[in-house]
Amino acid sequence: MNSSLVGNQSGRPFCLLAISYLETINFCLLEVVIIVFLMVLIISGNIIVIFVFHCAPLLNHHTTSYFIQTMAYADLLVGVSCLVPSLSLLHYPIVLSESLVCQIFGYVVSVLKSVSMASLACISIDRYIAITKPLTYNTLVTPWRLRICILIIWLYSCLVFLPSFHWGKPGYHGDVFQWCANSWNTDPYFTLFIVVMLYAPAAFIVCFTYFNIFRICQQHTKEINERRVRFSSQDGEAGEAQPCPDKRYAMVLFRITSVFYILWLPYIIYFLLESSNVYSNRIASFLTTWLAISNSFCNCVIYSLSNSVFQKGLKRLSGAICASCARQRVAKDSSTSRSKRSSNGCHV
């Protein structure tokens, strides 16, 4: 409370990263640059992912595409919601009170990241079923059941963070708002509730499924190579080791999951330390929070660099855009030439 009064008396804006702060600038320059930069990357990257999925039918052949697209839409909404703190840091007038805006923004971002975390867990379960039960996979995993699962993910994410409005600060630290930093505290019981209901189950599911996926793939690869070597030795030809085809696709999803938890781990650790009153620092809160939010852009980068079908769809999309631009340019040039000929004819 005292820090709030000091900030108001000095007339300077509330800035967490006030490093080499210029007196002539009346807004938080460094925070705005970081948030706007991430916002542009997140929105543009996920829009491209969504368009590629709609333009490449082969990508929709995999059932995991349902969850990948769910993550892309959630990450896109994270980028759009970043407009709220950037306007606040620029001291743009907001109709609602700062406390309500802070709580709503923290709740929305927490729900969206919960959707991403739950989607990653469901992806790992989907790949686990595909490898352990390949013959009955199509009967177990149907488009209707996938839609129901996605609906449950959204509803569960909305419900698990709903107590934050009365219980305490949720998984997101909205410290770009002064009220969030000074008056909205984390509650150790609410932190334990979030860990038990979301973080721990998702992490356990991901670790369990991918450990078994790679163990099974390694076993399958060994058996396939032994058979290949046996038959090739009978034919007198040298056999080459062939990797498990499911393992290649699982590696793409494993990279996405690993980067997600690597970027979120510093924030989760800080969240636990602050809730237990062990360590509290506003700069650490800001940096760990926005490092975690940057994962919304990393997903599309990893998928675009790792998936060959996605790369083909991206090339097809860029080719269609270039062809459309070329047609518009040709049409514009032809209309310009016709107008010139008609004007010359009038002057004759």
Side-chain angles (χ1 to χ4, degrees):
M1 193 70 180
N2 293 331
S3 61
S4 175
L5 293 174
V6 172
N8 292 335
Q9 288 174 358
S10 62
R12 293 172 62 176
F14 174 74
C15 301
L16 293 171
L17 305 180
I19 303 171
S20 301
Y21 192 82
L22 300 177
E23 296 290 340
T24 55
I25 300 176
N26 61 349
F27 59 87
C28 306
L29 178 63
L30 189 54
E31 288 95 324
V32 170
V33 170
I34 293 173
I35 294 175
V36 172
F37 178 70
L38 287 177
M39 181 178 67
V40 172
L41 288 180
I42 292 170
I43 292 176
S44 58
N46 285 284
I47 285 177
I48 292 173
V49 170
I50 292 169
F51 270 109
V52 169
F53 267 98
H54 283 286
C55 295
L58 287 177
L59 285 171
N60 293 317
H61 179 70
H62 295 283
T63 55
T64 51
S65 66
Y66 285 84
F67 297 111
I68 295 291
Q69 291 182 71
T70 301
M71 290 173 55
Y73 280 110
D75 290 336
L76 176 62
L77 292 175
V78 168
V80 173
S81 65
C82 290
L83 184 64
V84 176
S86 61
L87 290 176
S88 174
L89 291 169
L90 289 169
H91 292 269
Y92 189 84
I94 300 176
V95 178
L96 301 175
S97 64
E98 185 182 22
S99 60
L100 183 60
V101 172
C102 171
Q103 288 180 316
I104 292 175
F105 178 69
Y107 172 76
V108 168
V109 173
S110 299
V111 167
L112 294 174
K113 298 318 295 178
S114 173
V115 169
S116 296
M117 191 176 294
S119 297
L120 289 171
C122 289
I123 287 173
S124 65
I125 294 173
D126 174 81
R127 291 298 88 197
Y128 179 76
I129 296 173
I131 291 176
T132 56
K133 299 180 179 179
L135 299 178
T136 58
Y137 174 78
N138 291 329
T139 58
L140 292 174
V141 182
T142 61
W144 182 81
R145 289 180 178 177
L146 289 172
R147 294 187 183 98
I148 294 296
C149 184
I150 291 171
L151 179 61
I152 292 173
I153 287 174
W154 280 97
L155 290 176
Y156 183 81
S157 300
C158 291
L159 291 174
V160 77
F161 283 101
L162 200 58
S164 64
F165 287 97
H166 299 285
W167 206 345
K169 190 182 292 185
Y172 168 76
H173 293 270
D175 288 328
V176 293
F177 302 100
Q178 191 166 359
W179 185 87
C180 284
N182 297 332
S183 304
W184 202 19
N185 300 318
T186 54
D187 186 281
Y189 295 104
F190 184 59
T191 303
L192 181 63
F193 173 77
I194 295 297
V195 170
V196 171
M197 299 299 292
L198 181 62
Y199 294 156
F204 174 78
I205 289 171
V206 167
C207 292
F208 174 81
T209 51
Y210 279 116
F211 173 79
N212 284 280
I213 284 171
F214 290 120
R215 182 179 59 83
I216 294 170
C217 281
Q218 188 175 11
Q219 184 179 354
H220 287 178
T221 302
K222 184 179 179 181
E223 292 175 357
I224 292 171
N225 291 334
E226 287 177 353
R227 293 177 184 176
R228 190 178 294 275
V229 170
R230 190 184 306 118
F231 286 119
S232 62
S233 61
Q234 293 176 0
D235 297 337
E237 297 178 358
E240 297 180 358
Q242 296 293 329
C244 177
D246 291 322
K247 186 177 180 180
R248 191 181 298 110
Y249 189 66
M251 279 299 298
V252 176
L253 303 173
F254 179 72
R255 291 190 193 105
I256 294 176
T257 307
S258 300
V259 170
F260 181 92
Y261 280 98
I262 288 171
L263 293 177
W264 272 85
L265 186 61
Y267 170 73
I268 293 173
I269 293 173
Y270 176 81
F271 183 40
L272 295 173
L273 292 175
E274 187 189 69
S275 300
S276 56
N277 296 322
V278 175
Y279 176 75
S280 179
N281 184 279
R282 290 179 178 178
I283 296 178
S285 173
F286 180 88
L287 293 178
T288 54
T289 296
W290 290 97
L291 177 66
I293 290 178
S294 68
N295 176 77
S296 297
F297 171 71
C298 295
N299 288 339
C300 45
V301 173
I302 297 170
Y303 205 77
S304 60
L305 294 177
S306 304
N307 194 297
S308 58
V309 179
F310 186 90
Q311 292 173 4
K312 292 178 182 178
L314 186 59
K315 290 179 181 178
R316 183 180 300 178
L317 177 63
S318 59
I321 294 174
C322 292
S324 177
C325 293
R327 285 195 296 268
Q328 291 179 358
R329 192 180 298 110
V330 170
K332 184 178 180 181
D333 292 340
S334 61
S335 62
T336 304
S337 61
R338 282 197 300 269
S339 62
K340 286 183 178 180
R341 286 197 298 270
S342 61
S343 60
N344 293 335
C346 291
H347 286 293
V348 173

